[in-house]
Amino acid sequence: EHFYPKSIYHDKAFDWENFLPSCRKCNDSTLTHDVGVEPILNPYDEDFDPSQQFEFTLARMKGKTEIAKLTIDVCGLKSRLYDPYSKLIKVFCEYEQDLDEAIEELATKDTERKKLNQLRKISESIDRIENLMKPTEKYSYFCSYIIKNSEVYNEAKKILSSELEKVI
């Protein structure tokens, strides 16, 4: 993908900074869009922070700024991401349920060893969930958004932190 279209910006056709990895649908959506006239977000800009640009309601992405709204429109992101986002919501709900059950089970443990084993399970569940937020993962910002707003995840982090302080 050429961020600045090579058909308009001939001088940038071989400029390394103008090449971006892109899915076919985004590439096809931006073929005739002139980002020099109507800028859209470049996710590879050093100061790009998706939390300043986007928010979500369930699986619906919304732009917080005009450039984010234009980016969603130009790249055709209004409904195209519903399917992958809903699949991620399902995966996350399953992780969240496992985590909730692990938290409930912690209260039933009657020895320090059993509590530590259960805390390890909670920690491993948190690690699985946090893997979804790694920048190398698909849709990592969406995952970060739903995870950081999860009551169960935040409760588990607090419990893990406070219980490990008692042990240490």
Side-chain angles (χ1 to χ4, degrees):
E1 158 79 7
H2 288 84
F3 188 71
Y4 288 90
K6 61 185 177 195
S7 60
I8 301 170
Y9 298 90
H10 307 290
D11 59 320
K12 295 184 185 270
F14 297 104
D15 183 355
W16 188 248
E17 299 296 317
N18 194 36
F19 290 113
L20 304 179
S22 174
C23 71
R24 181 183 267 322
K25 290 182 181 180
C26 283
N27 189 24
D28 291 348
S29 297
T30 60
L31 282 177
T32 59
H33 183 77
D34 186 349
V35 297
V37 175
E38 284 187 296
I40 61 173
L41 294 168
N42 180 339
Y44 296 94
D45 280 346
E46 286 180 29
D47 58 345
F48 175 69
D49 178 0
S51 68
Q52 299 299 312
Q53 303 294 333
F54 303 107
E55 62 187 353
F56 297 93
T57 305
L58 289 178
R60 183 172 169 229
M61 177 191 278
K62 295 197 248 179
K64 290 181 175 181
T65 62
E66 289 307 312
I67 193 169
K69 290 174 186 174
L70 183 61
T71 302
I72 290 168
D73 187 47
V74 168
C75 295
L77 302 176
K78 286 182 182 166
S79 60
R80 181 162 58 94
L81 297 175
Y82 287 169
D83 189 47
Y85 284 177
S86 1
K87 288 176 183 171
L88 283 165
I89 288 171
K90 180 185 180 295
V91 167
F92 177 70
C93 286
E94 290 168 356
Y95 284 165
E96 195 177 49
Q97 183 175 336
D98 291 345
L99 191 54
D100 201 24
E101 290 169 3
I103 291 168
E104 287 177 14
E105 198 173 318
L106 178 64
T108 68
K109 301 303 179 188
D110 57 356
T111 67
E112 285 304 310
R113 184 185 56 76
K114 289 178 182 178
K115 284 183 182 179
L116 283 173
N117 285 339
Q118 192 61 25
L119 287 170
R120 186 175 350 96
K121 286 181 183 178
I122 291 171
S123 177
E124 289 168 357
S125 292
I126 288 172
D127 288 345
R128 275 194 307 277
I129 289 170
E130 289 178 343
N131 279 333
L132 297 171
M133 297 190 295
K134 288 183 178 177
T136 55
E137 294 299 313
K138 276 187 169 184
Y139 314 112
S140 61
Y141 177 68
F142 174 72
C143 291
S144 296
Y145 190 89
I146 61 173
I147 291 167
K148 289 178 181 175
N149 288 295
S150 164
E151 289 178 21
V152 175
Y153 168 79
N154 288 313
E155 178 187 358
K157 293 283 282 187
K158 285 179 191 171
I159 289 170
L160 191 60
S161 176
S162 67
E163 290 296 322
L164 289 178
E165 281 180 17
K166 291 178 188 175
V167 174
I168 296 174

